[in-house]
């Protein structure tokens, strides 16, 4: 895909959604961090349903740690891998208190050192909470980058590096959200809604006519 096409695609996404953000509900960087940890292999809707109740009881590292692993599991048991996530969250809270004064660090190395936090989770927090120009490549973004030839790559790291290179800088802060929302609601995995796609004329998906 050429530079002009990419520019136009991001312009259209910006016009349609000037201020995109995550669909996870949160009121602090800590709440966002916990929600993103919980969202691995789970839907944002299922995470929101759990955290809406959880955050009324515990929404800081101190109160979450006091809640404990067993009680935490009661709030998140509807989410996949909840036992492992509960263990990681409690350990993360302990580290935040002991090493970061109870605050979510805004350095990648410190974030990725937290249990349950990988590169993608760190990128989401850095971008959404702190405004860093990062690209958190999930299954949606990986699919779209390859399917429409926006920034193809063999793995998530290649796609991340490619997107950071070819996305015009003025769109980088919001690009992650536009791509996820496009993949979640329009360019879906099995039956992409090509007939509803705002970037259809610019898309290089070879089979797109099959979905009109």
């Amino acid at each position: 895909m050429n530079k002009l096409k990419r520019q136009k695609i991001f312009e259209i996404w910006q016009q349609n959604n000037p201020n995109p953000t995550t669909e996870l509900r949160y009121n602090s960087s800590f709440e966002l961090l916990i929600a993103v940890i919980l969202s691995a292999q789970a839907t944002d809707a299922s995470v929101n349903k759990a955290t809406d109740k959880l955050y009324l009881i515990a929404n800081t590292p101190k109160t979450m740690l006091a809640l404990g692993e067993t009680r935490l599991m009661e709030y998140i048991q509807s989410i996949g891998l909840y036992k492992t996530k509960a263990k990681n969250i409690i350990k993360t809270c302990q580290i935040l208190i002991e090493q970061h004064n109870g605050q979510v660090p805004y350095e990648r190395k410190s974030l990725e050192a937290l249990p349950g936090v990988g590169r993608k989770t760190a990128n989401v927090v850095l971008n959404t909470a702190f405004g860093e120009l990062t690209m958190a490549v999930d299954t949606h973004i990986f699919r779209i980058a390859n399917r429409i030839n926006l920034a193809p790559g063999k793995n998530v790291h290649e796609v991340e590096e490619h997107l950071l290179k070819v996305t015009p800088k003025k769109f980088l802060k919001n690009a992650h959200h536009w791509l996820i929302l496009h993949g979640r609601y329009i360019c879906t995995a099995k039956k992409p809604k090509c007939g509803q796609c705002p970037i259809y004329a610019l898309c290089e998906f070879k089979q797109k006519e099959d979905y009109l």
Side-chain angles (χ1 to χ4, degrees):
M1 181 175 290
N2 64 45
K3 183 178 179 180
L4 187 61
K5 271 191 178 182
R6 291 194 190 96
Q7 174 82 16
K8 186 62 178 175
I9 284 172
F10 284 108
E11 286 176 353
I12 291 170
W13 281 336
Q14 182 180 58
Q15 184 177 5
N16 290 346
N17 188 1
N19 299 296
T21 188
T22 178
E23 292 186 316
L24 293 169
R25 290 195 283 268
Y26 70 98
N27 290 300
S28 68
S29 58
F30 175 73
E31 288 187 1
L32 175 64
L33 172 63
I34 299 306
V36 180
I37 291 173
L38 290 172
S39 71
Q41 299 182 47
T43 65
D44 286 2
S46 68
V47 172
N48 287 336
K49 187 175 180 180
T51 56
D52 282 348
K53 296 177 181 178
L54 172 63
Y55 291 159
L56 293 175
I57 306 300
N59 67 344
T60 66
K62 185 177 179 179
T63 54
M64 193 78 73
L65 186 61
L67 188 66
E69 191 176 322
T70 301
R71 287 195 64 202
L72 175 57
M73 284 193 288
E74 294 175 6
Y75 285 94
I76 65 172
Q77 60 185 334
S78 61
I79 298 172
L81 306 174
Y82 74 95
K83 292 182 180 179
T84 299
K85 290 175 181 177
K87 185 179 294 185
N88 286 335
I89 286 171
I90 294 301
K91 288 180 180 177
T92 285
C93 290
Q94 193 164 3
I95 293 172
L96 291 178
I97 292 168
E98 294 176 354
Q99 299 180 21
H100 302 288
N101 224 11
Q103 303 298 311
V104 176
Y106 50 84
E107 302 88 5
R108 176 183 298 282
K109 186 177 179 180
S110 297
L111 279 171
E112 291 186 10
L114 299 171
V117 178
R119 186 175 180 85
K120 186 188 77 172
T121 298
N123 278 338
V124 173
V125 174
L126 288 170
N127 176 266
T128 306
F130 303 121
E132 296 290 325
L133 304 183
T134 62
M135 187 68 65
V137 178
D138 67 350
T139 54
H140 294 303
I141 294 180
F142 183 77
R143 178 177 69 253
I144 291 169
N146 281 286
R147 177 185 275 172
I148 74 172
N149 203 32
L150 181 68
K154 294 178 181 178
N155 53 58
V156 292
H157 186 68
E158 280 190 14
V159 169
E160 177 185 339
E161 292 299 317
H162 199 174
L163 280 168
L164 288 172
K165 182 179 179 180
V166 302
T167 301
K169 189 172 182 179
K170 68 177 181 178
F171 299 120
L172 263 178
K173 186 176 181 295
N174 294 320
H176 158 76
H177 299 299
W178 286 322
L179 282 158
I180 285 180
L181 292 171
H182 189 70
R184 188 172 289 168
Y185 297 111
I186 301 294
C187 200
T188 50
K190 293 183 179 179
K191 294 182 179 180
K193 300 176 178 65
C194 295
Q196 302 173 31
C197 181
I199 62 165
Y200 178 83
L202 302 161
C203 173
E204 294 184 5
F205 177 37
K206 291 181 173 60
Q207 286 82 40
K208 63 181 182 176
E209 288 80 7
D210 298 338
Y211 296 95
L212 286 177

